[in-house]
Amino acid sequence: FSPPCAIIDIARWTKLSAVVMVCGTNFCTFVSDGRCVKFDKNGKVIGIRTDDFQKIFKLNEKLIYGTSGQFNLDGDILAPFDEYPDKSVLTMNMAIKCIERHLERCNYGIGDRTFLLGGKNNKGQFQLNTFVHKSSFSPVEKEVLIPSDGQFYVKTAIPPDVNQDDIRKLLNKN
């Protein structure tokens, strides 16, 4: 078996801020670009701030976290976990609760924001979780997936104008 591999020409997607999570029965991995774009007051992309921006974080030996969307550059990417300065104590259930509480407290206004959480759950199974916040007027969309034998799941956090099916097709090519 050869793992999927894709090279994506990011230069043609100036709005691209992609995080991809792949989870199987014995692994969980994330990959992302480093692009951070500038928005105007209406949420329209007006330029590239940097191509060296961290969106994926290893919280501890069992959990990986990634996010994509509109947010400030003042460190609030890890804000959901502020109540735990020592991230090594976080379990999957604790991290899920942190993200849920954070989303209840915060209003991101314009633009989407996606949180991805993957790793081992309390039963030792690999699990992936997605939380999509589309606007302050819509509920958070949540999904939990636990692969069974021979399965793996791919979830993405990408801008709405990029077709997720195109990304999945790229990743599924061997």
Side-chain angles (χ1 to χ4, degrees), residues 21-24 27-30 64 92 96 115-121 125-131 142-147 152-156:
M21 174 173 52
V22 182
C23 188
F27 73 95
C28 184
T29 189
F30 282 52
I64 306 172
M92 179 69 74
I96 289 169
F115 298 85
L116 302 173
L117 178 67
K120 282 192 175 181
N121 64 23
Q125 302 165 304
F126 281 92
Q127 169 179 324
L128 60 86
N129 305 273
T130 58
F131 307 82
K142 301 176 201 174
E143 184 175 28
V144 176
L145 297 169
I146 301 173
F152 70 92
Y153 291 110
V154 177
K155 293 306 274 182
T156 58

Side-chain angles (χ1 to χ4, degrees), residues 63-121:
L63 299 174
I64 306 172
Y65 165 75
T67 187
S68 181
Q70 293 186 16
F71 45 87
N72 297 323
L73 296 181
D74 60 3
D76 92 330
I77 288 178
L78 287 170
F81 311 104
D82 281 350
E83 64 189 277
Y84 293 99
D86 178 6
K87 310 284 185 272
S88 68
V89 301
L90 284 170
T91 65
M92 179 69 74
N93 289 340
M94 292 165 69
I96 289 169
K97 295 280 186 223
C98 287
I99 294 171
E100 290 173 343
R101 282 193 300 269
H102 179 74
L103 287 168
E104 288 171 7
R105 288 191 306 264
C106 297
N107 178 357
Y108 290 103
I110 56 174
D112 295 354
R113 184 132 183 223
T114 301
F115 298 85
L116 302 173
L117 178 67
K120 282 192 175 181
N121 64 23

